[in-house]
Amino acid sequence: MDSKEVRNILETGLPQNTFSTPESCPYCEGREGETPPEIHAVRYPGTVPNSRGWRVRVVPHYQPVLQIQGEINNRGLNCYDLMNGIGAHEILIEHPEHAKDIPDYPHGHLVDVLTTMQSRIADLKNDLRFRYVLAYKNYDLSHGIPHAFSQIIATPITPGQVKDELINARQHYQIKERCIFCDIIRYELRSQDRVVADNGLFIAFSPFASQYPFEIWLLPQQHELFFERNAQLDALADILQQVLRRIKRVSGDRGYTMVLHNGPNIKVSQRRGYWKTIKMDFHWHLEIIPKIAWPLKYEPILGFAVNPVPSEMAAQILRESEV
Ligand SMILES: [Zn+2]
Ligand SMILES: [Zn+2]
């Protein structure tokens, strides 16, 4: 495998960079035979798997970072800890048509995408080898117009960054006996300075002293640990479209990354006594970072983020953008 192929796989989940043109994109409807067989699909009645007639389709990653078959086999080698690369790596193809993304979907289609995401996460959490299920989307328009897809990765360990966030939330709870995210929501709703959208059930705001310009957090206003248990997908689709339409308008349409910060697989950790207070202390949310052109980036030198656009200004610009 050459470096170009590695780059393509990282960006698109496919070895060949045919992805940015609809003429040769394997994620477009009609080319179902060019992906591994589907794991799950939302289909029109009377259609068969791996053929036309789907609205949302989930397939295994062409070259997964983790393999679904096998045992975990946690072991030591001198001072190193080893574990087999067991896990799942799935591609959720969000729409049969190329060049369509969340701001363009009919409302009901986005609800189908979110329902599919919930059902894949719930299904993967039934596998007791997996401690965490990551879900994220990297929608990058810098090399042409891509086909919209999200990635779902189930891992046998809780990834470090996720664990840090879970531990921080637990520490806040241990001191204050309140969920830190509920505290933030209450404060942001009261102040309104950083709120971008609020539909009564969800809130989207630019977080205080955000790391990235125009970064947005989107949370259910009622305390909830698991995204996959949320029963208000209509309202979630509504606010998500609103936010991404505003970002698209403001950021020059370069794309965005969106990461789901979700509760871990407590079916596994309950046995080991981890996360005893997690149902009270963690609150699922989406973190959205638009890809914007900015002349200088300091982070690699300084080791901390320098955000040239204050959250309050970003929120104001996004609120005022027409959608
Ligand atoms: Zn396509
Ligand atoms: Zn909460």
Side-chain angles (χ1 to χ4, degrees):
M1 193 160 37
D2 61 21
S3 61
K4 191 166 174 240
E5 223 172 307
V6 170
R7 266 201 305 275
N8 289 337
I9 289 169
L10 288 172
E11 278 169 18
T12 66
L14 293 160
Q16 70 279 37
N17 198 359
T18 52
F19 172 78
S20 52
T21 56
E23 292 72 31
S24 50
C25 168
Y27 294 162
C28 280
E29 186 174 33
R31 297 210 187 80
E32 291 74 18
E34 293 175 33
T35 64
E38 68 198 36
I39 297 166
H40 178 101
V42 181
R43 293 191 152 277
Y44 292 103
T47 63
V48 293
N50 303 306
S51 68
R52 286 174 171 277
W54 52 278
R55 298 198 295 280
V56 184
R57 190 165 182 258
V58 183
V59 299
H61 193 284
Y62 165 80
Q63 205 156 54
V65 292
L66 298 160
Q67 302 286 339
I68 192 85
Q69 265 114 22
E71 289 303 315
I72 290 190
N73 191 15
N74 200 340
R75 60 201 184 277
L77 177 69
N78 296 324
C79 58
Y80 300 110
D81 292 327
L82 297 180
M83 188 184 267
N84 290 353
I86 301 301
H89 191 168
E90 301 180 356
I91 299 275
L92 189 161
I93 308 168
E94 294 182 7
H95 199 282
E97 276 177 59
H98 206 87
K100 282 259 188 340
D101 190 43
I102 292 175
D104 322 306
Y105 301 160
H107 177 83
H109 187 90
L110 183 52
V111 174
D112 282 344
V113 172
L114 294 169
T115 309
T116 304
M117 182 66 86
Q118 284 189 325
S119 112
R120 288 313 303 144
I121 291 172
D123 186 45
L124 287 165
K125 281 184 172 176
N126 286 328
D127 191 325
L128 297 185
R129 296 172 305 166
F130 304 150
R131 296 241 178 108
Y132 197 80
V133 182
L134 277 165
Y136 69 96
K137 174 171 176 176
N138 179 17
Y139 191 67
D140 186 352
L141 288 140
S142 58
H143 311 292
I145 300 173
H147 201 118
F149 69 93
S150 301
Q151 304 200 45
I152 305 166
I153 303 180
T155 57
I157 52 161
T158 307
Q161 263 180 313
V162 174
K163 208 169 185 172
D164 289 347
E165 189 180 37
L166 295 173
I167 289 169
N168 289 341
R170 184 168 65 189
Q171 277 169 351
H172 180 92
Y173 185 83
Q174 280 166 349
I175 299 164
K176 310 218 170 164
E177 294 193 343
R178 295 190 311 267
C179 160
I180 187 169
F181 298 95
C182 286
D183 277 0
I184 294 171
I185 292 168
R186 268 191 294 273
Y187 178 70
E188 294 301 340
L189 282 172
R190 213 170 34 230
S191 106
Q192 289 290 318
D193 289 344
R194 286 167 292 273
V195 175
V196 173
D198 163 16
N199 65 7
L201 292 170
F202 291 87
I203 180 174
F205 62 89
S206 187
F208 180 78
S210 69
Q211 282 197 48
Y212 302 96
F214 296 95
E215 178 180 346
I216 300 288
W217 286 15
L218 203 168
L219 301 91
Q221 292 188 20
Q222 287 290 316
H223 181 78
E224 189 169 48
L225 171 58
F226 297 119
F227 159 76
E228 63 273 22
R229 304 255 178 95
N230 185 275
Q232 280 141 351
L233 294 184
D234 264 325
L236 176 58
D238 164 70
I239 197 164
L240 190 55
Q241 281 196 313
Q242 216 191 109
V243 166
L244 289 176
R245 281 173 186 157
R246 289 180 196 276
I247 286 175
K248 185 175 176 176
R249 189 154 268 262
V250 164
S251 71
D253 203 10
R254 291 180 174 83
Y256 56 89
T257 58
M258 178 158 61
V259 181
L260 172 63
H261 292 235
N262 198 14
N265 192 1
I266 56 169
K267 286 176 197 153
V268 188
S269 44
Q270 248 162 7
R271 288 185 314 187
R272 309 171 121 246
Y274 282 175
W275 317 126
K276 280 200 184 83
T277 58
I278 196 146
K279 283 186 181 155
M280 287 83 77
D281 70 41
F282 192 71
H283 194 130
W284 76 265
H285 57 281
L286 291 168
E287 294 189 12
I288 304 167
I289 299 167
K291 294 181 193 289
I292 62 166
W294 206 268
L296 283 169
K297 283 194 174 122
Y298 299 103
E299 294 86 341
I301 311 160
L302 293 173
F304 57 81
V306 178
N307 177 0
V309 187
S311 319
E312 296 74 18
M313 190 192 290
Q316 189 189 349
I317 293 169
L318 287 166
R319 270 196 311 267
E320 287 170 359
S321 70
E322 278 176 45
V323 289

PDB file of all heavy atoms in Angstrom, residues 179-183 185 220-224 280-283, ligand 2:
ATOM      1  N   CYS A 179     -24.840  17.208  37.328  1.00  0.00           N
ATOM      2  CA  CYS A 179     -24.190  16.952  36.043  1.00  0.00           C
ATOM      3  C   CYS A 179     -23.594  18.270  35.530  1.00  0.00           C
ATOM      4  O   CYS A 179     -24.290  19.294  35.478  1.00  0.00           O
ATOM      5  CB  CYS A 179     -25.238  16.410  35.065  1.00  0.00           C
ATOM      6  SG  CYS A 179     -24.787  16.570  33.334  1.00  0.00           S
ATOM      7  N   ILE A 180     -22.332  18.243  35.134  1.00  0.00           N
ATOM      8  CA  ILE A 180     -21.667  19.470  34.680  1.00  0.00           C
ATOM      9  C   ILE A 180     -22.343  20.033  33.420  1.00  0.00           C
ATOM     10  O   ILE A 180     -22.459  21.240  33.242  1.00  0.00           O
ATOM     11  CB  ILE A 180     -20.154  19.253  34.452  1.00  0.00           C
ATOM     12  CG1 ILE A 180     -19.477  20.591  34.150  1.00  0.00           C
ATOM     13  CG2 ILE A 180     -19.866  18.226  33.369  1.00  0.00           C
ATOM     14  CD1 ILE A 180     -17.962  20.548  34.156  1.00  0.00           C
ATOM     15  N   PHE A 181     -22.839  19.123  32.566  1.00  0.00           N
ATOM     16  CA  PHE A 181     -23.457  19.581  31.311  1.00  0.00           C
ATOM     17  C   PHE A 181     -24.812  20.237  31.587  1.00  0.00           C
ATOM     18  O   PHE A 181     -25.164  21.223  30.953  1.00  0.00           O
ATOM     19  CB  PHE A 181     -23.577  18.420  30.316  1.00  0.00           C
ATOM     20  CG  PHE A 181     -22.229  17.859  29.943  1.00  0.00           C
ATOM     21  CD1 PHE A 181     -21.696  16.766  30.603  1.00  0.00           C
ATOM     22  CD2 PHE A 181     -21.472  18.458  28.948  1.00  0.00           C
ATOM     23  CE1 PHE A 181     -20.443  16.267  30.276  1.00  0.00           C
ATOM     24  CE2 PHE A 181     -20.215  17.971  28.617  1.00  0.00           C
ATOM     25  CZ  PHE A 181     -19.699  16.874  29.284  1.00  0.00           C
ATOM     26  N   CYS A 182     -25.569  19.694  32.550  1.00  0.00           N
ATOM     27  CA  CYS A 182     -26.836  20.336  32.937  1.00  0.00           C
ATOM     28  C   CYS A 182     -26.550  21.725  33.503  1.00  0.00           C
ATOM     29  O   CYS A 182     -27.281  22.677  33.227  1.00  0.00           O
ATOM     30  CB  CYS A 182     -27.591  19.482  33.955  1.00  0.00           C
ATOM     31  SG  CYS A 182     -28.355  18.010  33.254  1.00  0.00           S
ATOM     32  N   ASP A 183     -25.472  21.838  34.297  1.00  0.00           N
ATOM     33  CA  ASP A 183     -25.075  23.151  34.835  1.00  0.00           C
ATOM     34  C   ASP A 183     -24.779  24.128  33.694  1.00  0.00           C
ATOM     35  O   ASP A 183     -25.224  25.275  33.716  1.00  0.00           O
ATOM     36  CB  ASP A 183     -23.810  23.020  35.699  1.00  0.00           C
ATOM     37  CG  ASP A 183     -24.127  22.578  37.128  1.00  0.00           C
ATOM     38  OD1 ASP A 183     -25.318  22.386  37.430  1.00  0.00           O
ATOM     39  OD2 ASP A 183     -23.176  22.431  37.919  1.00  0.00           O
ATOM     40  N   ILE A 185     -25.820  23.985  30.550  1.00  0.00           N
ATOM     41  CA  ILE A 185     -27.053  24.299  29.796  1.00  0.00           C
ATOM     42  C   ILE A 185     -27.856  25.386  30.519  1.00  0.00           C
ATOM     43  O   ILE A 185     -28.288  26.362  29.912  1.00  0.00           O
ATOM     44  CB  ILE A 185     -27.918  23.030  29.602  1.00  0.00           C
ATOM     45  CG1 ILE A 185     -27.220  22.056  28.662  1.00  0.00           C
ATOM     46  CG2 ILE A 185     -29.311  23.383  29.071  1.00  0.00           C
ATOM     47  CD1 ILE A 185     -27.849  20.668  28.632  1.00  0.00           C
ATOM     48  N   PRO A 220     -29.140  17.558  24.391  1.00  0.00           N
ATOM     49  CA  PRO A 220     -30.543  17.519  24.823  1.00  0.00           C
ATOM     50  C   PRO A 220     -30.662  18.336  26.109  1.00  0.00           C
ATOM     51  O   PRO A 220     -29.765  18.273  26.955  1.00  0.00           O
ATOM     52  CB  PRO A 220     -30.806  16.031  25.089  1.00  0.00           C
ATOM     53  CG  PRO A 220     -29.460  15.430  25.364  1.00  0.00           C
ATOM     54  CD  PRO A 220     -28.458  16.254  24.597  1.00  0.00           C
ATOM     55  N   GLN A 221     -31.741  19.090  26.253  1.00  0.00           N
ATOM     56  CA  GLN A 221     -31.858  19.952  27.438  1.00  0.00           C
ATOM     57  C   GLN A 221     -32.198  19.153  28.697  1.00  0.00           C
ATOM     58  O   GLN A 221     -31.873  19.562  29.795  1.00  0.00           O
ATOM     59  CB  GLN A 221     -32.883  21.061  27.184  1.00  0.00           C
ATOM     60  CG  GLN A 221     -32.383  22.037  26.129  1.00  0.00           C
ATOM     61  CD  GLN A 221     -33.271  23.261  25.961  1.00  0.00           C
ATOM     62  OE1 GLN A 221     -34.052  23.611  26.835  1.00  0.00           O
ATOM     63  NE2 GLN A 221     -33.147  23.925  24.833  1.00  0.00           N
ATOM     64  N   GLN A 222     -32.872  18.002  28.505  1.00  0.00           N
ATOM     65  CA  GLN A 222     -33.124  17.106  29.634  1.00  0.00           C
ATOM     66  C   GLN A 222     -31.905  16.206  29.799  1.00  0.00           C
ATOM     67  O   GLN A 222     -31.340  15.738  28.809  1.00  0.00           O
ATOM     68  CB  GLN A 222     -34.339  16.215  29.345  1.00  0.00           C
ATOM     69  CG  GLN A 222     -35.679  16.933  29.415  1.00  0.00           C
ATOM     70  CD  GLN A 222     -36.050  17.315  30.829  1.00  0.00           C
ATOM     71  OE1 GLN A 222     -35.905  16.513  31.749  1.00  0.00           O
ATOM     72  NE2 GLN A 222     -36.503  18.557  31.011  1.00  0.00           N
ATOM     73  N   HIS A 223     -31.529  15.922  31.030  1.00  0.00           N
ATOM     74  CA  HIS A 223     -30.365  15.078  31.270  1.00  0.00           C
ATOM     75  C   HIS A 223     -30.561  13.687  30.637  1.00  0.00           C
ATOM     76  O   HIS A 223     -31.599  13.060  30.822  1.00  0.00           O
ATOM     77  CB  HIS A 223     -30.124  14.929  32.779  1.00  0.00           C
ATOM     78  CG  HIS A 223     -28.931  14.085  33.069  1.00  0.00           C
ATOM     79  ND1 HIS A 223     -27.651  14.565  32.964  1.00  0.00           N
ATOM     80  CD2 HIS A 223     -28.820  12.779  33.404  1.00  0.00           C
ATOM     81  CE1 HIS A 223     -26.795  13.589  33.244  1.00  0.00           C
ATOM     82  NE2 HIS A 223     -27.476  12.490  33.514  1.00  0.00           N
ATOM     83  N   GLU A 224     -29.560  13.231  29.909  1.00  0.00           N
ATOM     84  CA  GLU A 224     -29.657  11.921  29.240  1.00  0.00           C
ATOM     85  C   GLU A 224     -28.243  11.387  29.005  1.00  0.00           C
ATOM     86  O   GLU A 224     -27.393  12.090  28.485  1.00  0.00           O
ATOM     87  CB  GLU A 224     -30.398  12.093  27.906  1.00  0.00           C
ATOM     88  CG  GLU A 224     -30.753  10.775  27.236  1.00  0.00           C
ATOM     89  CD  GLU A 224     -31.718  10.982  26.061  1.00  0.00           C
ATOM     90  OE1 GLU A 224     -31.457  11.880  25.232  1.00  0.00           O
ATOM     91  OE2 GLU A 224     -32.704  10.255  25.984  1.00  0.00           O
ATOM     92  N   MET A 280     -25.913   9.688  36.295  1.00  0.00           N
ATOM     93  CA  MET A 280     -26.173  11.055  36.764  1.00  0.00           C
ATOM     94  C   MET A 280     -25.120  12.037  36.257  1.00  0.00           C
ATOM     95  O   MET A 280     -25.395  13.215  36.102  1.00  0.00           O
ATOM     96  CB  MET A 280     -26.164  11.112  38.309  1.00  0.00           C
ATOM     97  CG  MET A 280     -27.363  10.504  38.988  1.00  0.00           C
ATOM     98  SD  MET A 280     -27.210   8.710  39.164  1.00  0.00           S
ATOM     99  CE  MET A 280     -26.074   8.571  40.541  1.00  0.00           C
ATOM    100  N   ASP A 281     -23.875  11.573  36.034  1.00  0.00           N
ATOM    101  CA  ASP A 281     -22.804  12.563  35.848  1.00  0.00           C
ATOM    102  C   ASP A 281     -22.432  12.867  34.392  1.00  0.00           C
ATOM    103  O   ASP A 281     -21.780  13.865  34.129  1.00  0.00           O
ATOM    104  CB  ASP A 281     -21.561  12.187  36.672  1.00  0.00           C
ATOM    105  CG  ASP A 281     -20.800  10.960  36.164  1.00  0.00           C
ATOM    106  OD1 ASP A 281     -20.642  10.799  34.941  1.00  0.00           O
ATOM    107  OD2 ASP A 281     -20.322  10.169  37.002  1.00  0.00           O
ATOM    108  N   PHE A 282     -22.839  12.019  33.424  1.00  0.00           N
ATOM    109  CA  PHE A 282     -22.465  12.318  32.035  1.00  0.00           C
ATOM    110  C   PHE A 282     -23.706  12.556  31.180  1.00  0.00           C
ATOM    111  O   PHE A 282     -24.770  11.994  31.433  1.00  0.00           O
ATOM    112  CB  PHE A 282     -21.604  11.197  31.429  1.00  0.00           C
ATOM    113  CG  PHE A 282     -20.974  11.604  30.125  1.00  0.00           C
ATOM    114  CD1 PHE A 282     -19.941  12.528  30.103  1.00  0.00           C
ATOM    115  CD2 PHE A 282     -21.447  11.124  28.907  1.00  0.00           C
ATOM    116  CE1 PHE A 282     -19.380  12.961  28.906  1.00  0.00           C
ATOM    117  CE2 PHE A 282     -20.892  11.551  27.705  1.00  0.00           C
ATOM    118  CZ  PHE A 282     -19.848  12.461  27.712  1.00  0.00           C
ATOM    119  N   HIS A 283     -23.551  13.372  30.155  1.00  0.00           N
ATOM    120  CA  HIS A 283     -24.682  13.876  29.364  1.00  0.00           C
ATOM    121  C   HIS A 283     -24.222  13.841  27.904  1.00  0.00           C
ATOM    122  O   HIS A 283     -23.239  14.513  27.558  1.00  0.00           O
ATOM    123  CB  HIS A 283     -24.906  15.311  29.840  1.00  0.00           C
ATOM    124  CG  HIS A 283     -26.170  15.971  29.447  1.00  0.00           C
ATOM    125  ND1 HIS A 283     -26.986  16.608  30.351  1.00  0.00           N
ATOM    126  CD2 HIS A 283     -26.757  16.163  28.240  1.00  0.00           C
ATOM    127  CE1 HIS A 283     -28.001  17.168  29.732  1.00  0.00           C
ATOM    128  NE2 HIS A 283     -27.895  16.913  28.440  1.00  0.00           N
TER     129      HIS A 283
HETATM  130 ZN    ZN B   2     -26.899  16.420  32.423  1.00  0.00          ZN
END
